[in-house]
Coordinates of all heavy atoms in Angstrom, one line a residue:
M291 N 2.5 74.4 -6.9 CA 2.2 75.2 -5.7 C 3.4 76.0 -5.4 O 4.5 75.6 -5.4 CB 1.9 74.2 -4.6 CG 1.9 74.9 -3.2 SD 1.4 73.8 -1.9 CE -0.3 73.8 -2.1
G292 N 3.2 77.3 -5.1 CA 4.3 78.1 -4.7 C 4.9 77.8 -3.4 O 4.3 77.2 -2.5
W293 N 6.1 78.3 -3.2 CA 6.8 78.1 -1.9 C 6.1 78.6 -0.7 O 6.0 78.0 0.4 CB 8.3 78.6 -1.9 CG 9.1 77.8 -2.7 CD1 9.7 78.1 -4.0 CD2 9.6 76.5 -2.4 NE1 10.4 77.1 -4.4 CE2 10.4 76.1 -3.5 CE3 9.4 75.6 -1.4 CZ2 11.0 74.8 -3.6 CZ3 10.0 74.4 -1.4 CH2 10.8 74.0 -2.5
Q294 N 5.4 79.8 -0.9 CA 4.7 80.4 0.2 C 3.5 79.5 0.6 O 3.3 79.3 1.8 CB 4.2 81.8 -0.2 CG 3.5 82.5 1.0 CD 4.5 82.7 2.2 OE1 5.6 83.1 2.0 NE2 3.9 82.4 3.3
A295 N 2.8 79.0 -0.3 CA 1.7 78.1 0.0 C 2.2 76.8 0.8 O 1.6 76.4 1.7 CB 0.9 77.7 -1.2
M296 N 3.3 76.3 0.3 CA 3.9 75.1 1.0 C 4.4 75.5 2.4 O 4.2 74.7 3.3 CB 5.1 74.6 0.2 CG 4.6 73.8 -1.0 SD 6.0 73.2 -2.0 CE 6.5 71.8 -1.0
A297 N 4.9 76.7 2.5 CA 5.4 77.1 3.9 C 4.2 77.4 4.8 O 4.4 77.2 6.0 CB 6.2 78.4 3.7
D298 N 3.1 77.6 4.3 CA 1.9 77.8 5.1 C 1.3 76.5 5.6 O 0.5 76.5 6.5 CB 0.8 78.6 4.4 CG 1.2 80.0 4.1 OD1 2.2 80.5 4.8 OD2 0.6 80.7 3.3
M299 N 1.7 75.4 5.0 CA 1.2 74.1 5.5 C 1.9 73.6 6.7 O 3.1 73.6 6.8 CB 1.4 73.1 4.3 CG 0.1 72.9 3.5 SD 0.3 71.5 2.4 CE 1.0 72.3 1.0
K300 N 1.1 73.2 7.7 CA 1.7 72.8 8.9 C 1.7 71.3 9.0 O 0.7 70.6 8.9 CB 0.8 73.3 10.1 CG 1.4 73.0 11.4 CD 0.6 73.6 12.6 CE 1.2 73.2 13.9 NZ 0.3 72.7 14.8
I301 N 2.9 70.8 9.1 CA 3.0 69.3 9.3 C 2.9 69.0 10.8 O 3.7 69.6 11.6 CB 4.4 68.8 8.8 CG1 4.5 69.0 7.3 CG2 4.6 67.3 9.1 CD1 5.8 68.6 6.7
E302 N 1.9 68.2 11.1 CA 1.7 67.8 12.5 C 2.3 66.5 12.8 O 2.5 65.7 11.8 CB 0.2 67.9 12.8 CG -0.3 69.3 12.7 CD -1.8 69.4 13.1 OE1 -2.1 69.2 14.3 OE2 -2.6 69.6 12.2
H303 N 2.6 66.2 14.0 CA 3.2 64.9 14.4 C 2.6 64.3 15.6 O 2.4 65.1 16.6 CB 4.7 65.2 14.7 CG 5.5 64.0 15.0 ND1 6.6 64.0 15.8 CD2 5.5 62.7 14.5 CE1 7.1 62.8 15.9 NE2 6.4 62.0 15.2
E304 N 2.2 63.1 15.6 CA 1.7 62.4 16.7 C 2.5 61.1 16.9 O 2.9 60.5 16.0 CB 0.2 61.9 16.4 CG -0.8 63.0 16.2 CD -2.1 62.5 15.9 OE1 -2.3 61.4 15.3 OE2 -3.1 63.3 16.0
E305 N 2.8 60.9 18.2 CA 3.7 59.7 18.5 C 3.2 58.9 19.6 O 2.8 59.5 20.7 CB 5.1 60.2 18.7 CG 6.1 59.0 18.8 CD 7.6 59.5 18.7 OE1 8.0 60.1 19.7 OE2 8.2 59.2 17.7
G306 N 3.2 57.6 19.6 CA 2.9 56.8 20.7 C 4.0 55.9 21.0 O 5.1 56.0 20.4
P307 N 3.9 54.9 21.9 CA 5.0 54.0 22.3 C 5.5 53.1 21.1 O 6.7 52.8 21.1 CB 4.4 53.1 23.4 CG 3.0 53.5 23.6 CD 2.7 54.7 22.6
S308 N 4.6 52.7 20.2 CA 5.0 51.8 19.1 C 5.2 52.5 17.8 O 5.7 51.8 16.8 CB 4.1 50.7 19.0 OG 2.8 51.2 18.6
G309 N 4.9 53.7 17.7 CA 5.0 54.4 16.3 C 4.3 55.7 16.3 O 4.0 56.3 17.4
G310 N 4.1 56.2 15.1 CA 3.4 57.5 15.1 C 3.2 57.9 13.6 O 3.2 57.1 12.8
R311 N 2.9 59.2 13.4 CA 2.6 59.6 12.1 C 2.8 61.1 12.0 O 2.8 61.9 13.0 CB 1.2 59.3 11.7 CG 0.1 60.1 12.4 CD -1.3 59.6 12.1 NE -2.3 60.6 12.5 CZ -3.2 61.2 11.8 NH1 -3.3 60.9 10.5 NH2 -4.1 62.1 12.3
Y312 N 3.1 61.6 10.8 CA 3.2 62.9 10.3 C 2.0 63.2 9.5 O 1.7 62.3 8.7 CB 4.5 63.3 9.6 CG 5.7 63.1 10.4 CD1 6.4 61.9 10.5 CD2 6.2 64.2 11.2 CE1 7.6 61.8 11.3 CE2 7.3 64.1 11.9 CZ 8.0 62.9 12.0 OH 9.2 62.8 12.7
F313 N 1.4 64.3 9.6 CA 0.2 64.6 8.8 C 0.0 66.0 8.5 O 0.4 66.9 9.2 CB -1.1 63.9 9.4 CG -1.5 64.4 10.7 CD1 -2.5 65.4 10.9 CD2 -0.8 64.0 11.9 CE1 -2.8 65.9 12.1 CE2 -1.2 64.4 13.2 CZ -2.2 65.4 13.3
V314 N -0.7 66.3 7.4 CA -1.1 67.6 7.0 C -2.6 67.6 6.8 O -3.1 66.7 6.1 CB -0.4 68.0 5.7 CG1 -1.0 69.3 5.1 CG2 1.1 68.2 5.9
R315 N -3.3 68.6 7.3 CA -4.8 68.7 7.0 C -4.9 70.0 6.2 O -4.4 71.1 6.5 CB -5.5 68.9 8.3 CG -5.6 67.6 9.1 CD -6.6 67.8 10.3 NE -6.7 66.5 11.0 CZ -6.3 66.4 12.3 NH1 -5.7 67.4 12.9 NH2 -6.3 65.2 12.9
K316 N -5.6 69.8 5.1 CA -5.9 71.0 4.2 C -7.2 70.8 3.5 O -7.5 69.7 2.9 CB -4.7 71.1 3.2 CG -4.8 72.3 2.3 CD -3.7 72.4 1.3 CE -3.9 73.6 0.4 NZ -3.2 73.5 -0.8
D317 N -8.0 71.8 3.5 CA -9.3 71.8 2.7 C -10.1 70.6 3.1 O -10.8 70.0 2.2 CB -9.0 71.9 1.2 CG -8.2 73.1 0.8 OD1 -8.3 74.1 1.5 OD2 -7.5 73.0 -0.2
G318 N -10.1 70.2 4.3 CA -11.0 69.1 4.7 C -10.4 67.7 4.4 O -11.1 66.7 4.6
H319 N -9.2 67.6 3.9 CA -8.5 66.4 3.6 C -7.3 66.2 4.4 O -6.7 67.2 4.9 CB -8.1 66.3 2.1 CG -9.3 66.5 1.2 ND1 -10.1 65.5 0.8 CD2 -9.7 67.6 0.5 CE1 -11.0 66.0 0.1 NE2 -10.8 67.3 -0.2
E320 N -6.8 65.0 4.6 CA -5.6 64.7 5.4 C -4.7 63.8 4.6 O -5.1 62.7 4.1 CB -6.1 64.0 6.7 CG -4.9 63.8 7.7 CD -5.4 63.3 9.0 OE1 -5.9 64.1 9.8 OE2 -5.4 62.1 9.2
A321 N -3.4 64.2 4.6 CA -2.3 63.4 4.0 C -1.5 62.9 5.2 O -1.3 63.7 6.2 CB -1.5 64.2 3.1
E322 N -1.0 61.7 5.1 CA -0.2 61.2 6.3 C 1.0 60.3 5.9 O 1.0 59.7 4.8 CB -1.0 60.5 7.3 CG -1.5 59.1 6.8 CD -2.3 58.3 7.9 OE1 -2.4 58.8 9.0 OE2 -2.7 57.2 7.5
M323 N 2.0 60.2 6.7 CA 3.0 59.2 6.6 C 3.1 58.6 8.0 O 3.3 59.3 9.0 CB 4.4 59.9 6.3 CG 5.5 58.9 6.2 SD 7.1 59.7 5.9 CE 7.5 60.2 7.6
T324 N 3.0 57.2 8.1 CA 3.0 56.6 9.3 C 4.3 55.8 9.4 O 4.9 55.4 8.5 CB 1.8 55.6 9.5 OG1 1.8 54.6 8.4 CG2 0.5 56.3 9.3
Y325 N 4.7 55.5 10.7 CA 5.9 54.7 11.0 C 5.7 53.9 12.2 O 4.9 54.2 13.1 CB 7.1 55.7 11.1 CG 7.0 56.7 12.2 CD1 7.5 56.3 13.5 CD2 6.4 57.9 12.1 CE1 7.4 57.2 14.6 CE2 6.4 58.8 13.1 CZ 6.9 58.5 14.4 OH 6.8 59.3 15.4
S326 N 6.6 52.9 12.3 CA 6.7 52.0 13.5 C 8.0 52.2 14.1 O 9.0 52.5 13.3 CB 6.4 50.6 13.1 OG 5.2 50.4 12.5
K327 N 8.2 52.0 15.4 CA 9.5 52.0 16.0 C 10.0 50.6 16.1 O 9.3 49.7 16.6 CB 9.4 52.7 17.4 CG 9.0 54.1 17.4 CD 8.8 54.6 18.8 CE 8.2 55.9 18.9 NZ 7.9 56.3 20.3
A328 N 11.3 50.4 15.8 CA 11.9 49.1 16.0 C 13.1 49.4 17.0 O 14.2 49.8 16.5 CB 12.4 48.5 14.7
G329 N 12.9 49.2 18.2 CA 13.9 49.5 19.2 C 14.0 51.0 19.4 O 13.2 51.8 18.9
D330 N 15.1 51.4 20.0 CA 15.3 52.8 20.3 C 15.8 53.6 19.1 O 15.5 54.8 19.0 CB 16.3 53.0 21.4 CG 15.7 52.6 22.8 OD1 14.5 52.6 22.9 OD2 16.5 52.3 23.7
G331 N 16.5 53.0 18.2 CA 17.1 53.8 17.2 C 16.7 53.6 15.8 O 17.3 54.1 14.8
I332 N 15.6 52.9 15.5 CA 15.1 52.6 14.1 C 13.7 53.0 14.0 O 12.8 52.6 14.8 CB 15.3 51.1 13.8 CG1 16.8 50.8 13.9 CG2 14.8 50.8 12.4 CD1 17.1 49.3 13.7
I333 N 13.4 53.7 12.9 CA 12.0 54.1 12.5 C 11.7 53.4 11.2 O 12.5 53.5 10.2 CB 11.9 55.6 12.3 CG1 12.2 56.3 13.7 CG2 10.6 56.0 11.7 CD1 12.4 57.8 13.6
I334 N 10.6 52.7 11.1 CA 10.2 52.0 9.9 C 9.0 52.8 9.3 O 7.9 52.8 9.9 CB 9.8 50.5 10.2 CG1 10.9 49.8 10.8 CG2 9.2 49.9 8.9 CD1 10.5 48.4 11.3
I335 N 9.3 53.5 8.1 CA 8.2 54.2 7.5 C 7.4 53.1 6.7 O 7.9 52.4 5.8 CB 8.7 55.3 6.5 CG1 9.5 56.3 7.3 CG2 7.6 55.9 5.7 CD1 10.1 57.4 6.4
D336 N 6.1 53.0 7.1 CA 5.3 51.9 6.5 C 4.2 52.3 5.6 O 3.7 51.6 4.8 CB 4.8 51.0 7.6 CG 4.2 51.7 8.8 OD1 3.6 52.8 8.6 OD2 4.3 51.2 9.9
H337 N 3.9 53.6 5.6 CA 2.8 54.1 4.7 C 2.9 55.6 4.5 O 3.1 56.3 5.4 CB 1.5 53.7 5.3 CG 0.3 54.3 4.7 ND1 -0.2 53.9 3.4 CD2 -0.5 55.4 5.0 CE1 -1.2 54.6 3.1 NE2 -1.4 55.5 4.0
T338 N 2.7 56.0 3.2 CA 2.5 57.4 2.9 C 1.2 57.5 2.1 O 1.1 56.8 1.1 CB 3.7 58.0 2.2 OG1 4.9 57.7 2.9 CG2 3.6 59.5 1.9
G339 N 0.3 58.3 2.5 CA -0.9 58.4 1.8 C -1.3 59.9 1.5 O -1.4 60.6 2.5
V340 N -1.6 60.2 0.3 CA -2.0 61.6 0.0 C -3.3 61.4 -0.8 O -3.3 60.8 -1.9 CB -0.9 62.4 -0.8 CG1 -1.4 63.7 -1.2 CG2 0.3 62.5 0.0
P341 N -4.4 62.0 -0.3 CA -5.6 61.8 -1.1 C -5.6 62.6 -2.4 O -4.8 63.6 -2.5 CB -6.7 62.5 -0.2 CG -6.0 63.2 0.9 CD -4.6 62.7 0.9
T342 N -6.3 62.2 -3.4 CA -6.3 62.7 -4.7 C -6.5 64.3 -4.7 O -5.8 65.0 -5.4 CB -7.4 62.1 -5.6 OG1 -7.2 60.7 -5.6 CG2 -7.3 62.6 -7.0
A343 N -7.4 64.7 -3.8 CA -7.6 66.2 -3.7 C -6.3 66.9 -3.3 O -6.3 68.2 -3.6 CB -8.7 66.4 -2.7
L344 N -5.4 66.3 -2.7 CA -4.2 67.0 -2.3 C -3.0 66.6 -3.1 O -1.8 67.0 -2.8 CB -3.9 66.8 -0.8 CG -4.9 67.2 0.2 CD1 -4.4 66.9 1.6 CD2 -5.2 68.7 0.1
G345 N -3.2 65.8 -4.1 CA -2.1 65.3 -5.0 C -1.4 66.4 -5.8 O -2.0 67.5 -6.0
G346 N -0.2 66.2 -6.1 CA 0.5 67.1 -7.0 C 1.0 68.3 -6.4 O 1.5 69.3 -7.1
Q347 N 1.0 68.4 -5.0 CA 1.4 69.6 -4.3 C 2.7 69.4 -3.5 O 3.1 70.3 -2.8 CB 0.3 70.1 -3.4 CG -1.0 70.4 -4.0 CD -2.1 70.8 -3.1 OE1 -1.9 71.5 -2.1 NE2 -3.3 70.2 -3.3
G348 N 3.3 68.3 -3.7 CA 4.6 68.0 -3.0 C 4.4 67.7 -1.5 O 5.4 67.6 -0.7
I349 N 3.1 67.4 -1.1 CA 2.9 67.1 0.4 C 3.6 65.8 0.8 O 4.2 65.7 1.8 CB 1.4 67.1 0.6 CG1 0.8 68.5 0.4 CG2 1.1 66.7 2.0 CD1 -0.7 68.6 0.4
G350 N 3.4 64.7 0.0 CA 4.1 63.5 0.4 C 5.6 63.7 0.6 O 6.2 63.1 1.5
Q351 N 6.2 64.4 -0.4 CA 7.6 64.6 -0.2 C 8.0 65.4 1.1 O 8.9 65.1 1.8 CB 8.2 65.4 -1.5 CG 9.6 65.6 -1.4 CD 10.2 66.3 -2.6 OE1 9.7 66.1 -3.7 NE2 11.2 67.2 -2.4
M352 N 7.1 66.4 1.4 CA 7.3 67.2 2.6 C 7.3 66.3 3.8 O 8.1 66.5 4.7 CB 6.3 68.3 2.7 CG 6.5 69.4 1.7 SD 5.1 70.6 1.7 CE 4.7 70.8 3.5
L353 N 6.3 65.4 3.8 CA 6.2 64.5 5.0 C 7.4 63.6 5.1 O 7.9 63.4 6.3 CB 4.9 63.6 4.8 CG 3.6 64.3 4.9 CD1 2.5 63.4 4.4 CD2 3.3 64.9 6.3
V354 N 7.9 63.0 4.0 CA 9.1 62.2 4.1 C 10.3 63.0 4.6 O 11.0 62.6 5.4 CB 9.4 61.5 2.7 CG1 10.7 60.8 2.8 CG2 8.3 60.5 2.4
Q355 N 10.5 64.2 4.0 CA 11.6 65.1 4.4 C 11.5 65.4 5.9 O 12.6 65.3 6.6 CB 11.5 66.4 3.6 CG 12.7 67.3 4.0 CD 12.8 68.5 3.0 OE1 11.9 68.7 2.2 NE2 13.8 69.3 3.3
R356 N 10.4 65.7 6.4 CA 10.2 66.0 7.9 C 10.7 64.7 8.7 O 11.4 64.9 9.7 CB 8.8 66.4 8.2 CG 8.5 66.5 9.6 CD 9.2 67.8 10.3 NE 8.9 67.7 11.7 CZ 7.8 68.2 12.2 NH1 6.9 68.8 11.5 NH2 7.6 68.1 13.5
G357 N 10.2 63.5 8.3 CA 10.6 62.3 9.0 C 12.1 62.1 8.9 O 12.7 61.8 9.9
V358 N 12.8 62.4 7.8 CA 14.2 62.3 7.7 C 14.9 63.3 8.6 O 15.8 62.9 9.3 CB 14.6 62.5 6.2 CG1 16.1 62.7 6.1 CG2 14.2 61.3 5.3
E359 N 14.4 64.5 8.6 CA 15.0 65.6 9.4 C 14.9 65.2 10.9 O 15.9 65.4 11.7 CB 14.4 66.9 9.1 CG 14.8 67.4 7.7 CD 14.0 68.6 7.3 OE1 13.0 69.0 8.0 OE2 14.4 69.2 6.2
D360 N 13.7 64.7 11.3 CA 13.6 64.4 12.7 C 14.4 63.2 13.1 O 14.9 63.2 14.2 CB 12.1 64.2 13.0 CG 11.3 65.5 13.1 OD1 11.8 66.5 12.8 OD2 10.0 65.3 13.3
A361 N 14.5 62.2 12.2 CA 15.3 61.0 12.5 C 16.8 61.4 12.7 O 17.5 61.0 13.6 CB 15.1 60.0 11.4
R362 N 17.2 62.3 11.8 CA 18.6 62.7 11.8 C 18.9 63.5 13.1 O 19.9 63.3 13.8 CB 18.9 63.7 10.6 CG 20.3 64.2 10.6 CD 20.6 65.1 9.4 NE 20.4 64.3 8.1 CZ 19.7 64.8 7.0 NH1 19.0 66.0 7.1 NH2 19.7 64.1 5.9
A363 N 18.0 64.4 13.5 CA 18.1 65.2 14.7 C 18.2 64.3 16.0 O 18.8 64.6 16.9 CB 17.0 66.2 14.8
A364 N 17.5 63.2 15.9 CA 17.4 62.3 17.1 C 18.4 61.2 17.0 O 18.4 60.3 17.9 CB 16.0 61.7 17.1
G365 N 19.2 61.2 15.9 CA 20.2 60.1 15.8 C 19.7 58.8 15.5 O 20.2 57.7 15.9
K366 N 18.5 58.7 14.9 CA 17.9 57.5 14.5 C 18.1 57.1 13.0 O 18.4 58.0 12.2 CB 16.4 57.5 14.8 CG 16.1 57.7 16.3 CD 14.7 57.7 16.6 CE 14.5 57.9 18.1 NZ 13.2 57.8 18.5
K367 N 17.8 55.9 12.7 CA 17.9 55.4 11.3 C 16.6 55.1 10.7 O 15.7 54.7 11.5 CB 18.8 54.2 11.2 CG 20.3 54.5 11.5 CD 21.0 55.4 10.5 CE 22.4 55.6 10.8 NZ 23.0 56.6 9.8
I368 N 16.4 55.2 9.4 CA 15.1 54.9 8.8 C 15.2 53.6 7.9 O 16.2 53.5 7.2 CB 14.7 56.1 8.0 CG1 14.3 57.2 8.9 CG2 13.5 55.7 7.0 CD1 13.9 58.5 8.1
V369 N 14.2 52.8 8.0 CA 13.9 51.7 7.1 C 12.7 52.0 6.3 O 11.6 52.0 6.9 CB 13.8 50.3 7.8 CG1 13.5 49.2 6.8 CG2 15.0 50.0 8.6
P370 N 12.8 52.4 5.0 CA 11.6 52.8 4.3 C 10.9 51.6 3.6 O 11.2 51.3 2.5 CB 12.2 53.8 3.2 CG 13.6 53.3 3.0 CD 14.0 52.7 4.3
L371 N 10.0 51.0 4.3 CA 9.2 49.9 3.7 C 8.2 50.4 2.7 O 7.8 49.8 1.8 CB 8.6 49.1 4.8 CG 9.5 48.3 5.7 CD1 8.7 47.4 6.6 CD2 10.5 47.4 4.9
C372 N 7.7 51.6 2.9 CA 6.7 52.3 2.0 C 7.4 52.6 0.7 O 8.5 53.2 0.7 CB 6.3 53.6 2.7 SG 5.4 54.7 1.5
P373 N 6.9 52.1 -0.4 CA 7.6 52.3 -1.7 C 7.7 53.8 -2.1 O 8.7 54.2 -2.6 CB 6.6 51.6 -2.7 CG 5.8 50.7 -1.9 CD 5.7 51.2 -0.5
Y374 N 6.8 54.6 -1.7 CA 6.9 56.1 -2.0 C 8.0 56.7 -1.2 O 8.9 57.4 -1.7 CB 5.6 56.8 -1.6 CG 5.7 58.3 -1.9 CD1 5.5 58.8 -3.2 CD2 6.0 59.1 -0.9 CE1 5.7 60.1 -3.4 CE2 6.1 60.5 -1.1 CZ 6.0 61.0 -2.4 OH 6.2 62.3 -2.6
A375 N 8.1 56.4 0.1 CA 9.2 57.0 1.0 C 10.5 56.4 0.4 O 11.5 57.2 0.4 CB 9.0 56.6 2.4
K376 N 10.6 55.2 0.1 CA 11.9 54.6 -0.4 C 12.3 55.3 -1.7 O 13.5 55.7 -1.8 CB 11.7 53.1 -0.7 CG 12.9 52.4 -1.1 CD 12.6 50.9 -1.3 CE 13.8 50.0 -1.4 NZ 14.7 50.4 -2.5
A377 N 11.4 55.6 -2.6 CA 11.7 56.3 -3.8 C 12.1 57.7 -3.6 O 13.1 58.2 -4.2 CB 10.5 56.3 -4.8
Q378 N 11.5 58.4 -2.6 CA 11.8 59.8 -2.3 C 13.2 59.9 -1.7 O 14.1 60.7 -2.1 CB 10.8 60.4 -1.4 CG 9.5 60.8 -2.0 CD 9.7 61.8 -3.1 OE1 10.4 62.8 -2.9 NE2 9.1 61.6 -4.2
I379 N 13.6 59.0 -0.8 CA 14.9 58.9 -0.2 C 16.0 58.6 -1.3 O 17.0 59.2 -1.3 CB 14.9 58.0 1.0 CG1 14.1 58.6 2.1 CG2 16.4 57.8 1.5 CD1 13.8 57.6 3.3
E380 N 15.6 57.7 -2.2 CA 16.6 57.4 -3.3 C 16.8 58.6 -4.2 O 17.9 58.8 -4.7 CB 16.1 56.2 -4.1 CG 16.2 54.9 -3.4 CD 15.6 53.7 -4.2 OE1 15.0 53.9 -5.2 OE2 15.7 52.6 -3.7
K381 N 15.8 59.4 -4.4 CA 16.0 60.6 -5.2 C 16.8 61.7 -4.6 O 17.2 62.7 -5.2 CB 14.6 61.2 -5.6 CG 13.9 60.5 -6.7 CD 12.6 61.3 -7.0 CE 11.5 60.5 -7.4 NZ 10.2 61.2 -7.6
H382 N 16.9 61.7 -3.3 CA 17.6 62.7 -2.5 C 18.8 62.2 -1.7 O 18.7 61.8 -0.6 CB 16.6 63.3 -1.5 CG 15.4 64.1 -2.1 ND1 14.3 63.4 -2.5 CD2 15.3 65.4 -2.5 CE1 13.5 64.3 -3.1 NE2 14.1 65.5 -3.1
P383 N 20.0 62.2 -2.4 CA 21.2 61.7 -1.8 C 21.5 62.4 -0.4 O 22.0 61.7 0.5 CB 22.3 62.0 -2.8 CG 21.6 62.3 -4.1 CD 20.2 62.7 -3.8
E384 N 21.0 63.6 -0.2 CA 21.3 64.3 1.0 C 20.5 63.8 2.2 O 20.7 64.1 3.3 CB 21.1 65.8 0.8 CG 19.6 66.2 0.7 CD 19.0 66.2 -0.8 OE1 19.7 65.5 -1.6 OE2 18.0 66.8 -1.0
W385 N 19.5 62.9 1.9 CA 18.7 62.3 3.0 C 19.2 60.9 3.3 O 18.8 60.3 4.3 CB 17.3 62.1 2.5 CG 16.5 63.4 2.2 CD1 17.0 64.7 2.4 CD2 15.2 63.5 1.7 NE1 16.0 65.6 2.0 CE2 14.9 64.9 1.6 CE3 14.2 62.6 1.3 CZ2 13.7 65.4 1.1 CZ3 13.0 63.1 0.8 CH2 12.8 64.5 0.7
Q386 N 20.1 60.3 2.5 CA 20.5 58.9 2.6 C 21.4 58.6 3.8 O 21.6 57.5 4.2 CB 21.1 58.4 1.3 CG 20.1 58.5 0.2 CD 20.6 58.1 -1.1 OE1 21.7 57.7 -1.3 NE2 19.8 58.4 -2.1
D387 N 21.8 59.6 4.5 CA 22.6 59.4 5.7 C 21.8 58.7 6.8 O 22.4 58.1 7.8 CB 23.3 60.7 6.3 CG 22.2 61.8 6.6 OD1 21.5 62.1 5.7 OD2 22.2 62.1 7.8
V388 N 20.5 58.9 6.8 CA 19.7 58.2 7.8 C 19.2 56.9 7.5 O 18.5 56.2 8.3 CB 18.4 59.1 8.1 CG1 18.8 60.5 8.6 CG2 17.5 59.3 7.0
L389 N 19.5 56.3 6.3 CA 19.2 55.0 5.9 C 19.8 53.9 6.7 O 21.0 54.1 7.0 CB 19.4 54.7 4.4 CG 18.4 55.3 3.4 CD1 18.9 54.9 2.0 CD2 17.0 54.8 3.7
R390 N 19.2 52.9 7.1 CA 19.8 51.8 7.8 C 20.2 50.8 6.8 O 19.6 50.4 5.9 CB 18.8 51.2 8.8 CG 19.4 50.0 9.5 CD 18.5 49.7 10.7 NE 19.2 48.6 11.5 CZ 19.0 47.4 11.3 NH1 18.2 46.9 10.4 NH2 19.7 46.5 12.1

């Protein structure tokens, strides 16, 4: 997928008192990354799911990156329990400052 197509994808964010999710809707499908809050300063990424129809487009990575950027901006730390999110953060040393 070209950068322009990725730039056109809107990552949405919903948050409640105990957690939230980042998600992308495209072509009638939805990819998401969910998290729980542990106290004021810790976000636990517990699930990343990308349907087969949206696979191979870098959407999962975009969701993790957005979570990392938002955590950094808010001064929070991430515990990546989701194996996918953990692997993505391990592949990107520039994201590891937010690891708890």
Side-chain angles (χ1 to χ4, degrees):
M291 169 176 281
W293 285 109
Q294 186 56 45
M296 287 177 74
D298 291 343
M299 262 190 269
K300 183 177 179 224
I301 296 176
E302 298 183 65
H303 183 212
E304 296 175 339
E305 188 169 69
S308 61
R311 72 186 191 122
Y312 292 93
F313 61 99
V314 170
R315 289 190 181 111
K316 184 178 179 204
D317 302 331
H319 301 280
E320 187 175 277
E322 72 173 358
M323 181 185 77
T324 61
Y325 63 89
S326 302
K327 297 177 189 174
D330 289 336
I332 299 171
I333 294 167
I334 299 168
I335 297 175
D336 43 35
H337 170 74
T338 305
V340 177
T342 305
L344 298 182
Q347 300 178 42
I349 295 172
Q351 180 178 326
M352 287 172 44
L353 293 169
V354 174
Q355 181 174 1
R356 171 72 184 275
V358 165
E359 290 170 353
D360 286 0
R362 183 182 292 132
K366 297 183 179 184
K367 295 293 184 182
I368 291 177
V369 177
L371 293 186
C372 164
Y374 178 81
K376 185 176 191 302
Q378 285 299 316
I379 293 171
E380 284 174 358
K381 280 191 214 174
H382 294 87
E384 70 276 16
W385 297 355
Q386 294 172 12
D387 60 300
V388 300
L389 281 179
R390 180 164 185 269

